[in-house]
Amino acid sequence: MTAPSPPDLALSLAAVRAAIAQAARQAGRDAQSVTLVAVSKQVEAARVAQALALGQRHFGENRVQESAAKWPDLRAQWPDATLHLVGQLQSNKAEEAVALFDVIHSVDRPGLVKALAVAMDRRGRRPDCFIQVNIGAEGQKGGCAIESLPDLIEAAHRAGLPVVGLMAVPPAEAEPTPYFALLARLARRHGLLRLSMGMSGDLAQAIAMGATDVRVGTAIFGARAALAPPAAEHVEPTR
Ligand SMILES: *Cc1c(COP(=O)(O)O)cnc(C)c1O
């Protein structure tokens, strides 16, 4: 069998935007209230440039190294692009991340809050931050435990991080809606307005539960190589 050919980006982007519009309509929401973050991890720069040329402006990456290689040239050509970090962040890469990204979705522990605060002061740059929650309490998944969330939010506020919302990835095999609803409830409780949730397979359910930032890779760019599985998000939960 031959590998499936990559999707036509104009078609796949239009289809994802239409799915967002439909889900928003069904939820009685304005489609403008949902930001499509095109997750371009493992996607080569030329193809990302195509998506930019088609008008897509928000992109998500999960690795600092890959983004540092790929994005400076793209940004030079499209200065109004917004770059989101959606993958786990090591504290020793905090400064590089602050220099590179406009939004960080994966703030999930006190040590990282400290490192980001120092990096933001040094760089004079303050990317919006989502606190990532391990919403399904999975063994090896990134995100802070639900019990630790109040303390982590407080620490982030105290450190001067611009906390805008919560982010989560529900357990792979489960019906996602209850997890999305729980994340929305937690965000409301803490007065946070944005919800980063919903991927290729569950963006409609996420929008129904209030997602403001959906992170969509496969449905736009096609299947990724199974090589190099990115760190935490793709580890099988231990059962
Ligand atoms: C890869 C990734 C996505 C995109 O997933 P798809 O299923 O390809 O849409 C979204 N969020 C995170 C955190 C990811 O690592």
Side-chain angles (χ1 to χ4, degrees):
M1 251 173 50
T2 54
S5 53
D8 180 308
L9 268 186
L11 292 180
S12 60
L13 260 177
V16 170
R17 288 183 187 139
I20 290 171
Q22 188 187 355
R25 199 163 48 242
Q26 280 171 354
R29 299 180 54 197
D30 183 349
Q32 304 292 340
S33 68
V34 182
T35 297
L36 170 59
V37 179
V39 177
S40 50
K41 61 189 183 195
Q42 295 176 241
V43 176
E44 62 181 32
R47 216 156 141 68
V48 178
Q50 277 176 26
L52 282 155
L54 289 163
Q56 176 62 30
R57 284 297 176 270
H58 289 262
F59 291 84
E61 294 282 348
N62 72 336
R63 287 181 173 181
V64 174
Q65 265 2 91
E66 179 183 340
S67 309
K70 200 155 80 179
W71 274 95
D73 287 352
L74 291 168
R75 270 195 187 285
Q77 207 180 341
W78 284 279
D80 61 340
T82 299
L83 193 54
H84 300 243
L85 177 65
V86 302
Q88 262 201 343
L89 178 58
Q90 294 170 269
S91 295
N92 64 6
K93 298 221 173 85
E95 186 159 347
E96 205 177 350
V98 163
L100 206 56
F101 292 93
D102 305 298
V103 188
I104 296 174
H105 291 239
S106 49
V107 180
D108 65 355
R109 57 194 191 278
L112 182 57
V113 165
K114 283 204 193 89
L116 285 169
V118 170
M120 287 183 193
D121 286 344
R122 284 172 55 99
R123 290 282 171 159
R125 219 178 164 265
R126 315 197 81 77
D128 284 343
C129 292
F130 286 87
I131 306 289
Q132 183 178 354
V133 182
N134 185 355
I135 200 74
E138 294 174 271
Q140 307 185 37
K141 196 101 151 213
C144 78
I146 291 174
E147 313 82 79
S148 316
L149 182 61
D151 285 348
L152 188 61
I153 291 174
E154 205 200 308
H157 282 316
R158 241 184 298 122
L161 265 54
V163 179
V164 297
L166 300 183
M167 180 275 217
V169 180
E173 307 300 328
E175 161 58 44
T177 294
Y179 295 100
F180 293 150
L182 176 56
L183 194 72
R185 211 154 57 235
L186 292 168
R188 250 191 326 272
R189 183 180 300 165
H190 292 283
L192 297 172
L193 299 179
R194 280 167 69 183
L195 285 168
S196 169
M197 59 190 196
M199 314 190 346
S200 294
D202 55 19
L203 69 92
Q205 294 98 312
I207 289 168
M209 292 297 116
T212 62
D213 295 71
V214 292
R215 311 176 310 266
V216 181
T218 311
I220 295 172
F221 295 108
R224 294 175 291 271
L227 304 170
E233 303 304 339
H234 289 242
V235 171
E236 289 300 315
T238 47
R239 300 210 183 259

